[in-house]
């Protein structure tokens, strides 16, 4: 059985028939149009699968498998949206999915790194930030700052910190926040959160699918 998380920028696959083989990461643009998998989630999950699971459901089940706590908040930051699940007393208590205010957030952050030839692992967290509620619209802050004489690196760093703070507020301002998604590998982004942050990597939804497959099939 093949599981897949079809993201906007990257797709994650797991072949349950190969127990020793871990998840495979593939750029979405390289996915064959006639591809079919057994169980999927993600933006294009319905298109490529026999059985589909809602992303919030996959995120919640993945969190249950990876987080050994009764109360926590798990935030997933993707290329095109942000979503969270919150647990209290071991039960799902709240959830949220923001496409508009999280629009192209992860994609924009990745694009800016390439465009300005930056390395987020080397950029320090800035003291100041921009008020950013949308990845695309927020880029105007960068252009204005660069025009005023602020360096490109500093301007982008302020933008990334603004994105992180917006995501933090969306998740409910928790003292501890578990993070899912490719931005777990972005040092500038993860260090911009004003709370204890626990990165879980980009395969949390895939872990949720694995548990669902175990129960259903």
């Amino acid at each position: 059985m093949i599981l897949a998380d079809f993201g906007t920028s990257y797709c994650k696959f797991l072949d349950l028939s190969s127990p020793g083989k871990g998840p495979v990461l593939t750029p979405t643009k390289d996915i064959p149009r006639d591809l079919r998998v057994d169980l999927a989630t993600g933006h294009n999950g319905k298109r490529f699968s026999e059985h589909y699971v809602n992303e919030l459901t996959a995120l919640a089940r993945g969190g249950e498998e990876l987080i050994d706590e009764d109360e926590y908040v798990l935030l997933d930051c993707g290329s095109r949206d942000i979503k969270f699940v919150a647990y209290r007393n071991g039960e799902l208590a709240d959830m949220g999915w923001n496409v508009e205010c999280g629009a192209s957030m992860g994609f924009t952050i990745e694009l800016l790194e390439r465009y300005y030839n930056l390395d987020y692992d080397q950029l320090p967290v800035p003291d100041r930030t921009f008020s950013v509620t949308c990845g695309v619209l927020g880029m105007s802050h960068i252009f204005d700052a660069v025009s005023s004489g602020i360096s490109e690196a500093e301007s982008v760093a302020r933008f990334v910190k603004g994105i992180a703070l917006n995501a933090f507020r969306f998740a409910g301002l928790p003292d501890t926040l578990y993070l899912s998604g490719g931005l777990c590998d972005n040092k500038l982004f993860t260090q911009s959160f004003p709370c204890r942050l626990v990165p879980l990597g980009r395969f949390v939804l895939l872990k949720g699918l694995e548990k669902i497959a175990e129960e259903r099939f």
Side-chain angles (χ1 to χ4, degrees):
M1 173 176 279
I2 298 178
L3 314 179
D5 174 9
F6 288 98
T8 302
S9 298
Y10 295 96
C11 297
K12 286 75 72 177
F13 299 93
L14 181 64
D15 187 352
L16 296 183
S17 64
S18 303
K21 189 176 181 181
V24 175
L25 183 69
T26 303
T28 299
K29 62 182 179 62
D30 295 336
I31 299 300
R33 292 191 174 186
D34 59 350
L35 175 69
R36 298 293 292 179
V37 301
D38 299 290
L39 183 65
T41 189
H43 179 54
N44 290 310
K46 292 182 180 179
R47 174 184 171 189
F48 291 108
S49 68
E50 299 296 331
H51 304 279
Y52 174 77
V53 175
N54 178 277
E55 291 176 58
L56 278 173
T57 300
L59 178 66
R61 297 307 303 273
E64 291 172 3
E65 291 298 298
L66 296 171
I67 303 171
D68 188 22
E69 294 183 28
D70 289 334
E71 298 193 7
Y72 61 86
V73 178
L74 170 59
L75 173 71
D76 180 73
C77 293
S79 290
R80 68 187 299 268
D81 57 27
I82 53 178
K83 45 192 166 296
F84 79 91
V85 292
Y87 278 71
R88 299 188 186 92
N89 299 318
E91 300 290 337
L92 181 63
D94 194 11
M95 64 177 66
W97 196 338
N98 196 325
V99 176
E100 293 183 0
C101 291
S104 300
M105 184 187 71
F107 176 80
T108 304
I109 289 176
E110 184 176 346
L111 180 67
L112 288 169
E113 183 179 30
R114 293 199 303 266
Y115 181 77
Y116 286 114
N117 193 28
L118 301 172
D119 182 353
Y120 287 137
D121 288 341
Q122 302 300 320
L123 290 182
V125 178
D127 294 328
R128 301 179 63 182
T129 184
F130 298 139
S131 177
V132 182
T133 57
C134 171
V136 175
L137 298 179
M139 286 195 296
S140 62
H141 292 296
I142 297 175
F143 303 143
D144 291 342
V146 171
S147 297
S148 70
I150 299 173
S151 71
E152 295 170 349
E154 172 70 14
S155 300
V156 172
R158 291 184 185 184
F159 171 85
V160 172
K161 183 176 181 179
I163 287 285
L165 293 178
N166 178 61
F168 173 65
R169 288 190 292 268
F170 174 69
L173 311 175
D175 294 328
T176 297
L177 181 62
Y178 288 87
L179 182 65
S180 162
L183 286 173
C184 287
D185 298 327
N186 186 318
K187 186 176 179 180
L188 174 62
F189 181 75
T190 58
Q191 291 186 345
S192 293
F193 282 82
C195 66
R196 175 176 174 261
L197 191 76
V198 183
L200 297 179
R202 62 169 78 233
F203 301 117
V204 176
L205 276 71
L206 209 55
K207 189 67 176 179
L209 287 183
E210 187 175 4
K211 184 61 178 179
I212 292 170
E214 178 184 313
E215 295 173 346
R216 292 187 183 179
F217 303 100

